[in-house]
Structure formats: C-alpha cells, structure tokens
Amino acid sequence: MIHVKTEREIQLMREAGKLLAACHQEIAKRIRPGVTTMEIDRFVETFLAKYGAKPEQKGYRGYPYATCASINDEICHGFPRNEPLKEGDIVTIDFVVNWRGALADSAWTYAVGEVDKDVKKLLDVTEQSLYKGIEQAVLGNRIGDIGHAIQTYVEAQGFSVVRDFTGHGIGPTIHEEPYVPHFGEKGKGMRLKEGMVITIEPMVNMGAWQSKMDANGWTARTIDGSYSAQYEHTIAITKNGPLILTTLA
Ligand code: MF3
Ligand code: CO
C-alpha cells in the first residue's frame, strides 16, 4: 500500500527533516577519536527532546536505541556502544525523527580523524551515488531508474552496492512501499507518483556486496570485512522535481 502525501503532510515532514539535518550537523562536530557511539545516541535523544521531537527508531520492531551506529565493516543497524571510536574508523549514524507524527530519515557516514585515501574515496563515491539516485526521482521515471543510476556509478568506481537492504516509502510508519533498491534496471519497477515520499540510502562496500547478520539479529556487516558507507536522504516526489526533506536550507 502506497501512502501518497498531501502538500501539508510533506511540509511537516520537511520540518522533521530540518531538525534531523540540524542534529547531524551537531553530530559532525562531536565525532572524533575517543567518543563513543553511545554518547552520540544519548546526544541525539537529548537534542530531539529539547525540540519536542521523538526518536522513531527506539522501540520500532523492538529496536533498542534512538540511532543506528555502524562502524567500519558494519553495513547498517549497528548498536550504539561504549567502546571509543578510533582514528581511521568510519561510522554511519542513521536515525528517524518523529515531529508531530511526521517522519524523516537520514544517515551519514563520518570519518573519525584522518582516514586512509581509499576509505575517503569510499565516502565520496557513496555520497555522490546518493545524488545520482536523487536526480532520477522525477515524475515519469520508475523505481528501477534510481537503482540503475546508483549501481552504474558505484561499480564504475570499483565498489559494490549492497542488495539486502533498500530504500523505502516513509510515513506514517518508517518502512512502507515502495521499496527502492540501489541496483537494478532502467525502466523497470513502479512508476513514481506525485506526493510519494521515499528514502534513497545506498550502502556501498569496498569489497563484495554480500552481507551477513550478527548474532544480535540486527546488525549487518560485509562478508569479507571490507568497509561499508551509507548516505541517506528522505525525498518527496513533486511536479517540480525531487525535494530533499532532510537538509537544513
Ligand atoms: N533508518 C533506517 C532506514 O534507513 C531504519 C532503521 S530501522 C530500525 O531504513 F529498526 F533500526 F529502527
Ligand atoms: Co535511515
């Protein structure tokens, strides 16, 4: 079932997205060697509470934390922990803001201090791939056009795209149809409609695309131990093109 949103609903999701972006900006200032992802998780909870917003992930299908914090070879849904981040690590912080019932979802991978040159390239390519996908989120296109653009770009840069997790429709619940793979064929899949709100959130690995699941039943990591990065925005499909809801400006 696809929930097409009214302009008013999208406006409220935009407010949620601005708050989320402001929170990411604060996280960026706090990520450095010695900080723990549990401290970041607490910071996010406090920040949202200050603005009267809620961390939607906490309690979602039993997920225990406000944020997902995925370090190095963890692809997604890493649990925040008390171990300090180290110089050269990368960490993806992903969370969903609930502002007066409207949701926004955005993830960002942060470098901890100085990272290797090839790791920096992984971050740059993954971020760029998100925008390649967003460019395709226009009326008349199909879901497959988004994944095709992302996959083609990422593979040409020598990296791989995770297949086991996808973007998704969002609002009133976190995960809704349509599902948005970050790989695929041009012209395939559902046609994009005005008022759809989706996430695009490519997870890109330095090595193989395959993932395996940790014993906690949540955290996915790369099968070969290679590093994985992710950038995610929540996007509204409008007649004026893709509207990124999870930015400040
Ligand atoms: N923010 C995640 C996403 O991009 C959703 C995490 S689900 C949770 O799809 F269970 F971890 F909360
Ligand atoms: Co997310």
Side-chain angles (χ1 to χ4, degrees):
M1 158 97 178
I2 309 258
H3 290 109
V4 170
K5 276 82 184 172
T6 62
E7 252 172 67
R8 201 188 179 81
E9 284 169 322
I10 290 173
Q11 201 43 51
L12 208 56
M13 294 177 89
R14 175 79 183 102
E15 289 176 20
K18 274 191 188 171
L19 195 58
L20 202 170
C23 191
H24 264 302
Q25 199 174 55
E26 291 303 313
I27 292 168
K29 295 181 196 159
R30 287 167 170 77
I31 299 278
R32 60 186 141 68
V35 166
T36 73
T37 47
M38 196 63 86
E39 288 165 345
I40 299 294
D41 190 77
R42 298 240 176 76
F43 169 76
V44 169
E45 279 221 57
T46 309
F47 181 98
L48 296 182
K50 196 165 87 186
Y51 290 97
K54 279 187 308 199
E56 184 72 6
Q57 288 185 172
K58 197 171 185 174
Y60 175 74
R61 295 176 183 250
Y63 187 77
Y65 302 101
T67 63
C68 296
S70 308
I71 301 170
N72 297 341
D73 65 325
E74 294 171 349
I75 294 170
C76 62
H77 306 159
F79 284 6
R81 48 193 197 239
N82 289 313
E83 199 184 311
L85 292 166
K86 302 184 304 297
E87 179 96 19
D89 284 346
I90 57 172
V91 58
T92 304
I93 307 292
D94 184 6
F95 58 104
V96 178
V97 169
N98 180 328
W99 166 246
R100 301 183 173 176
L103 305 184
D105 187 357
S106 176
W108 215 250
T109 300
Y110 297 94
V112 182
E114 289 289 315
V115 298
D116 287 348
K117 230 174 94 203
D118 50 343
V119 174
K120 180 71 175 82
K121 181 182 169 189
L122 175 73
L123 302 188
D124 292 343
V125 166
T126 308
E127 185 176 2
Q128 280 310 308
S129 79
L130 166 60
Y131 292 97
K132 300 273 178 199
I134 292 173
E135 271 173 26
Q136 297 297 319
V138 294
L139 289 180
N141 268 6
R142 293 180 184 270
I143 292 287
D145 295 317
I146 297 173
H148 178 78
I150 293 169
Q151 183 182 17
T152 309
Y153 173 71
V154 165
E155 291 181 355
Q157 300 295 320
F159 299 134
S160 71
V161 173
V162 169
R163 316 278 168 98
D164 300 332
F165 301 89
T166 68
H168 48 86
I170 178 166
T173 53
I174 299 184
H175 292 133
E176 301 187 350
E177 288 182 277
Y179 288 90
V180 184
H182 305 106
F183 58 93
E185 286 177 58
K186 249 186 178 150
K188 291 278 167 70
M190 182 187 295
R191 212 177 267 288
L192 298 172
K193 289 189 209 45
E194 190 175 347
M196 271 183 179
V197 180
I198 59 172
T199 72
I200 302 180
E201 48 178 306
M203 286 145 272
V204 173
N205 300 347
M206 285 183 84
W209 61 262
Q210 283 87 355
S211 66
K212 61 186 179 199
M213 184 58 71
D214 276 8
N216 67 16
W218 278 102
T219 309
R221 64 179 71 236
T222 61
I223 204 151
D224 56 9
S226 68
Y227 280 20
S228 185
Q230 180 181 29
Y231 293 83
E232 171 183 27
H233 275 310
T234 299
I235 317 287
I237 312 295
T238 80
K239 52 180 179 299
N240 303 317
L243 180 63
I244 304 178
L245 302 180
T246 38
T247 53
L248 270 179

